Amino acid sequence: SCRRVVYEWAEQSHEFEGIAAAWQFALSNSVPRLDGLIPSVISGLLLAFDSPTTHKYGSQLIRLVLDGFMRAVYRAFNTPRSSACASILQMLYQIVVYSQGEHADQLRHTFDWTQKSLAALPMTRSNIIGFSVRRLWIRFVLSFFSVERCKTFNQLLGARKIIGALFLGVEKDTYQELHTLLESVFASVVLNEEIARADKVRVFGIQLVGNLVKAGQNAQDITPQLVGIERPALFVPGEAASLEPLTTDSMSGLVTRFLRGLMAFPGQGICFKQYGLYTPPRRLLGDDGATDEADMHDVATFTKNSSSSEMQDLCNSQILRILVVCINPSLSKDMSSLAIDIMRASPELIAPFWRNYHCSFEPRLSLSYLRNTGFAIKVMSLPLP
């Protein structure tokens, strides 16, 4: 078989000197075709070698790239619309996921995340090899959070610009692109229990959510199955698999569901388990009545850095900021229902939100008056905690 031929060639090849020589020739003589071809070959070889019996060959290839050809990687990023850039991103992704992330920490440490050329990658939507550079970059960055053997992914969260940049210009994404991004972020970051809630709070800030809200202003109906999405993500805990798939969706609905999954389920995303309604002394209790030490640490870490004295007393102060700055209940039904669901989950936010929510209740024959009064009635109808 073809795989057998590849394995026999790998056994006879001394640390893949032929590939190294060809790549070095391409770098020295500026051969654009080889610039894109060689990383594609390495990607395919890593896929073929990702098994216990041939594992050592893939590790040799990865060492070859990390030790000798990172300069070629950075050079490709200077031309983000080139096939070389797309092929490099595919190769980097295969390095991260190889053997469940065995080399992911080494790549994260070796890779220069301060390169100025990286800023253009999440904004490049040109389809080069069937996927846009933006999509390939997103897949590469989020792969560090999804592989089992990567232990230093939290350091990527520390550089908030890397994750935040994935959401810049998100309003220009197609439904399929936005769905892929949100589904990946939700699985890799929002639901990742190894990431402290305080770290998630710092990542999902006002600017990131504001960019998403811009994308959610598009309410045009879409049939997900016609654009390759068989089961649109619902972003709800536990029971999602048992629910019927949506037959009609929209960008607005997709964004609203993601934000609801991020902020309206206590203990998930950036929503702390306890209300924080009764200030000192506050005890954070789990469902069984025991103190939740993880959330206790997260609250202490986050509130220590809060700027507003009012918000320091609230576990979910970041959600309050997002409610006040980004989510306008009068904008649409989706935004109104999202605000209601957030306040139902965190009733301590109702009073400070209402003090900062500016709307008119002057009786008049207008849609804005009807929307405002309808929203106020829903808020007053929420059950007391």
Side-chain angles (χ1 to χ4, degrees), residues 335-373:
M335 289 292 105
S336 176
S337 65
L338 173 62
I340 293 296
D341 289 339
I342 289 173
M343 287 186 278
R344 180 181 290 112
S346 304
E348 77 276 19
L349 305 185
I350 295 176
F353 168 76
W354 209 254
R355 285 195 293 271
N356 290 277
Y357 180 57
H358 304 291
C359 63
S360 172
F361 291 102
E362 181 181 349
R364 60 177 64 184
L365 292 176
S366 68
L367 289 176
S368 60
Y369 169 73
L370 295 176
R371 282 195 294 262
N372 290 336
T373 52

Side-chain angles (χ1 to χ4, degrees), residues 138-302:
I138 290 171
R139 185 178 67 163
F140 165 60
V141 171
L142 294 180
S143 62
F144 288 93
F145 299 90
S146 60
V147 291
E148 295 178 1
R149 300 171 71 175
C150 182
K151 303 302 180 185
T152 62
F153 56 79
N154 274 314
Q155 295 187 29
L156 281 181
L157 286 180
R160 282 178 284 176
K161 290 183 179 180
I162 295 174
I163 302 299
L166 304 182
F167 292 84
L168 292 177
V170 73
E171 68 275 8
K172 299 178 183 177
D173 282 350
T174 64
Y175 174 86
Q176 185 182 29
E177 290 170 337
L178 182 61
H179 184 278
T180 301
L181 170 62
L182 296 185
E183 188 175 41
S184 300
V185 169
F186 196 76
S188 302
V189 181
V190 176
L191 296 182
N192 193 331
E193 295 183 355
E194 295 185 25
I195 301 175
R197 207 169 317 281
D199 291 332
K200 296 177 185 178
V201 166
R202 281 188 284 270
V203 170
F204 294 99
I206 291 173
Q207 183 177 4
L208 188 154
V209 174
N211 290 331
L212 270 180
V213 170
K214 289 180 186 177
Q217 293 177 5
N218 184 350
Q220 182 178 358
D221 286 343
I222 295 171
T223 303
Q225 290 74 20
L226 295 181
V227 293
I229 307 296
E230 292 301 321
R231 293 186 66 90
L234 301 178
F235 306 115
V236 296
E239 62 210 32
S242 63
L243 300 177
E244 288 294 323
L246 298 174
T247 56
T248 303
D249 201 5
S250 65
M251 301 281 272
S252 176
L254 181 63
V255 169
T256 303
R257 294 198 304 275
F258 176 82
L259 294 178
R260 183 178 289 112
L262 179 69
M263 298 185 288
F265 294 97
Q268 176 175 295
I270 65 173
C271 187
F272 289 94
K273 289 182 180 179
Q274 294 303 305
Y275 294 148
L277 182 60
Y278 306 106
T279 50
R282 184 199 299 126
R283 296 180 63 228
L284 296 179
L285 304 179
D287 296 335
D288 57 355
T291 302
D292 190 322
E293 296 295 340
D295 261 8
M296 179 72 81
H297 177 267
D298 285 348
V299 170
T301 301
F302 181 64

Side-chain angles (χ1 to χ4, degrees), residues 36-231:
L37 178 60
I38 295 174
S40 295
V41 170
I42 293 175
S43 298
L45 289 174
L46 289 176
L47 276 172
F49 293 149
D50 198 359
S51 67
T53 56
T54 57
H55 170 269
K56 63 178 182 180
Y57 302 126
S59 295
Q60 289 175 6
L61 264 178
I62 292 171
R63 284 196 299 271
L64 174 72
V65 174
L66 297 184
D67 293 343
F69 290 97
M70 292 306 291
R71 184 168 62 91
V73 170
Y74 304 139
R75 191 176 79 166
F77 292 157
N78 291 326
T79 53
R81 288 178 173 81
S82 67
S83 60
C85 180
S87 298
I88 287 287
L89 287 173
Q90 277 196 320
M91 180 191 70
L92 293 175
Y93 169 76
Q94 292 300 333
I95 291 175
V96 175
V97 301
Y98 187 77
S99 189
Q100 291 297 315
E102 178 182 346
H103 302 275
D105 287 326
Q106 184 183 358
L107 175 58
R108 192 212 58 77
H109 178 73
T110 303
F111 192 85
D112 184 1
W113 298 95
T114 63
Q115 286 274 324
K116 292 183 179 180
S117 57
L118 300 184
L121 300 182
M123 307 297 291
T124 304
R125 291 176 163 78
S126 303
N127 285 314
I128 308 296
I129 52 175
F131 297 102
S132 67
V133 169
R134 168 177 169 78
R135 185 169 177 181
L136 292 171
W137 172 253
I138 290 171
R139 185 178 67 163
F140 165 60
V141 171
L142 294 180
S143 62
F144 288 93
F145 299 90
S146 60
V147 291
E148 295 178 1
R149 300 171 71 175
C150 182
K151 303 302 180 185
T152 62
F153 56 79
N154 274 314
Q155 295 187 29
L156 281 181
L157 286 180
R160 282 178 284 176
K161 290 183 179 180
I162 295 174
I163 302 299
L166 304 182
F167 292 84
L168 292 177
V170 73
E171 68 275 8
K172 299 178 183 177
D173 282 350
T174 64
Y175 174 86
Q176 185 182 29
E177 290 170 337
L178 182 61
H179 184 278
T180 301
L181 170 62
L182 296 185
E183 188 175 41
S184 300
V185 169
F186 196 76
S188 302
V189 181
V190 176
L191 296 182
N192 193 331
E193 295 183 355
E194 295 185 25
I195 301 175
R197 207 169 317 281
D199 291 332
K200 296 177 185 178
V201 166
R202 281 188 284 270
V203 170
F204 294 99
I206 291 173
Q207 183 177 4
L208 188 154
V209 174
N211 290 331
L212 270 180
V213 170
K214 289 180 186 177
Q217 293 177 5
N218 184 350
Q220 182 178 358
D221 286 343
I222 295 171
T223 303
Q225 290 74 20
L226 295 181
V227 293
I229 307 296
E230 292 301 321
R231 293 186 66 90

